[in-house]
Amino acid sequence: DSGVTQTPKHLITATGQRVTLRCSPRSGDLSVYWYQQSLDQGLQFLIQYYNGEERAKGNILERFSAQQFPDLHSELNLSSLELGDSALYFCASSVRSRLNTGELFFGEGSRLTVL
Amino acid sequence: TQLLEQSPQFLSIQEGENLTVYCNSSSVFSSLQWYRQEPGEGPVLLVTVVTGGEVKKLKRLTFQFGDARKDSSLHITAAQPGDTGLYLCAGETGANNLFFGTGTRLTVIP
């Protein structure tokens, strides 16, 4: 158990819909990262937050947005869903600050299926 | 976007054999991490290397960071079925981003 909690574990929805994925980081971790993994391949970095502020952006579509709340949990919002958005979405947290990433602790992921 | 290419993409070997997985990039990284991911789970950190030329050993696993900090390798000696999984390298840039490689799926057949 990494200590990172993601909900829901599985989600099936239709094209054009909007979903929200939730992540609770490990206790004490200030950084939260979101990654997308398709077809059991490598992880695509989407976005990172540190203590409530956006720290870095990767290949995140404009239809996607995220935020980190004062209690440090984070949400990834996916809208106008397309078939190609079907993937595993991972949240990870890190204890490190702005200087370096350090070890990432991953949740079990949220599997999104868009039909 | 820093591109980390791993080779081979797929590897199926018999128990007891040795293997090497490569992680290559044209970018320089301040550190490089290796993760293993099993089905239905998130990746788990195996090791972090930070110095060019650094070699770290973790039981039967040997990790090396290239002298120029652009590439890395993972060598497994006497592979066991428990080594089966997706191996991911991840490079950290000075911008505090961690970019993952394309992954190597290893299957060790008993």
Side-chain angles (χ1 to χ4, degrees):
Chain A
D1 183 5
S2 67
V4 177
T5 303
Q6 287 187 248
T7 56
K9 289 186 190 275
H10 300 277
L11 189 56
I12 302 174
T13 188
T15 54
Q17 295 298 304
R18 171 191 170 94
V19 298
T20 297
L21 309 180
R22 181 187 169 99
C23 169
S24 294
R26 289 190 326 156
S27 176
D29 285 359
L30 298 178
S31 288
V32 170
Y33 303 76
W34 285 97
Y35 287 88
Q36 179 191 58
Q37 186 176 45
S38 302
L39 297 175
D40 205 22
Q41 293 300 308
L43 296 163
Q44 293 294 319
F45 170 67
L46 296 178
I47 198 164
Q48 180 212 350
Y49 283 84
Y50 172 75
N51 202 20
E53 294 184 1
E54 182 183 304
R55 179 67 60 191
K57 240 178 183 178
N59 299 321
I60 187 167
L61 300 172
E62 287 191 8
R63 299 184 287 109
F64 297 179
S65 65
Q67 55 184 329
Q68 186 179 28
F69 295 87
D71 67 352
L72 300 178
H73 91 271
S74 178
E75 292 181 356
L76 178 66
N77 301 296
L78 315 175
S79 61
S80 301
L81 286 168
E82 302 175 358
L83 295 177
D85 297 329
S86 295
L88 260 175
Y89 291 85
F90 283 103
C91 168
S93 72
S94 169
V95 69
R96 296 300 182 95
S97 64
R98 63 194 68 196
L99 296 180
N100 52 57
T101 304
E103 176 178 2
L104 293 189
F105 294 87
F106 284 83
E108 294 185 341
S110 292
R111 181 172 291 282
L112 173 65
T113 302
V114 182
L115 300 176
Chain B
T1 300
Q2 284 80 1
L3 181 61
L4 275 162
E5 292 194 5
Q6 290 184 235
S7 60
Q9 188 175 359
F10 298 95
L11 188 55
S12 182
I13 62 171
Q14 294 289 329
E15 181 176 359
E17 293 183 352
N18 302 332
L19 68 112
T20 302
V21 175
Y22 298 93
C23 172
N24 295 296
S25 176
S26 58
S27 300
V28 176
F29 296 102
S30 56
S31 69
L32 196 134
Q33 301 176 3
W34 283 92
Y35 290 78
R36 182 171 70 207
Q37 183 180 12
E38 299 186 20
E41 299 179 9
V44 175
L45 181 69
L46 296 173
V47 77
T48 301
V49 285
V50 296
T51 305
E54 181 178 1
V55 177
K56 277 193 175 179
K57 291 192 176 183
L58 186 66
K59 296 183 180 178
R60 294 177 294 99
L61 278 61
T62 301
F63 304 85
Q64 184 164 9
F65 201 11
D67 291 340
R69 303 206 315 275
K70 293 182 178 181
D71 55 84
S72 180
S73 64
L74 158 60
H75 183 78
I76 301 178
T77 304
Q80 299 178 2
D83 296 326
T84 293
L86 180 67
Y87 288 81
L88 296 160
C89 64
E92 181 173 12
T93 67
N96 197 22
N97 292 342
L98 193 66
F99 291 91
F100 280 80
T102 49
T104 294
R105 173 151 298 283
L106 171 65
T107 302
V108 182
I109 303 167

